[in-house]
Amino acid sequence: MQRMSSHRLPVPLDRATRLVNHGPTVLVSATHGGRSNVMAAAWNMALDFAPPKVAVVIDKITFTRGLIESSGHFTLSVPCHAQAALTSAIGGSTGQEIDKAATLPGLAWIDEPASPAPLVDGCVAWLACRLLPEPHIQQTYDLFLGEVIGAWADERVFSHGRWHFEGHEGLRTLHHVAGGHYLLPGGFVGTPP
């Protein structure tokens, strides 16, 4: 199913890494040969500013990894508190056995022409990435690098290059601990920007 988030606005690429540098769980999606899939990944990080780059660990057994390697693109969608159950369902199922978008309630793609891979609807941030092939680290460490080529965020909780979750509890990002348990970000320490 395709949807369009009404609160999604572009984020300048020089601020794109701010969407993930606070350590949220991400949903990694890719498409190739008429198949799209998404998986959950807690091990990800911002890697560089100019051009913006990210790193994410993607195990060899995942269906999404094959789509990324074949297409050369992936997206990172940042799920929120309201999507905790969906995030766990995405992480607990495999695209080798089911079409997650057709099977998992609440999972839908956003139609974004500027992204070569699908964005997950309902999230609070999205990064479209071009794979930076590094066969040795992909094979040895399951580590994938991507150059960010497009970025968007939910204006209700991210604007002017900053997260601001106050008043939007259901939109706080998820931070995986273990066994389907997540932490949520709190408030500012020190002087807010």
Side-chain angles (χ1 to χ4, degrees), residues 1 27-28 35-40 62-64 86-109:
M1 179 190 317
L27 302 176
V28 183
R35 278 295 304 273
S36 294
N37 195 57
V38 60
M39 59 171 271
T62 66
F63 183 67
T64 303
L86 175 61
T87 300
S88 292
I90 288 169
S93 58
T94 176
Q96 295 168 334
E97 297 173 2
I98 64 169
D99 178 342
K100 293 182 186 183
T103 307
L104 299 178
L107 177 57
W109 305 125

Side-chain angles (χ1 to χ4, degrees), residues 28-33 35-37 39 58-74 96 131 138 144:
V28 183
S29 55
T31 191
H32 182 73
R35 278 295 304 273
S36 294
N37 195 57
M39 59 171 271
I58 303 173
D59 194 277
K60 291 171 187 64
I61 65 168
T62 66
F63 183 67
T64 303
R65 180 173 171 148
L67 297 176
I68 293 169
E69 291 173 328
S70 296
S71 70
H73 292 92
F74 62 93
Q96 295 168 334
L131 177 64
Q138 287 169 205
F144 283 69

Side-chain angles (χ1 to χ4, degrees), residues 11 15 25 39 47 65 87 100 112-113 140 143 150 159 178 190:
V11 171
R15 295 186 177 178
T25 294
M39 59 171 271
L47 189 62
R65 180 173 171 148
T87 300
K100 293 182 186 183
E112 174 50 66
T140 305
L143 185 65
S159 59

Side-chain angles (χ1 to χ4, degrees), residues 88-155:
S88 292
I90 288 169
S93 58
T94 176
Q96 295 168 334
E97 297 173 2
I98 64 169
D99 178 342
K100 293 182 186 183
T103 307
L104 299 178
L107 177 57
W109 305 125
I110 294 175
D111 180 22
E112 174 50 66
S115 179
L119 308 177
V120 177
D121 190 42
C123 290
V124 293
W126 305 265
L127 299 166
C129 302
R130 178 180 61 83
L131 177 64
L132 298 173
E134 291 286 348
H136 173 71
I137 65 168
Q138 287 169 205
Q139 186 62 33
T140 305
Y141 304 108
D142 296 328
L143 185 65
F144 283 69
L145 308 180
E147 179 182 343
V148 180
I149 59 173
W152 303 266
D154 187 317
E155 64 180 331

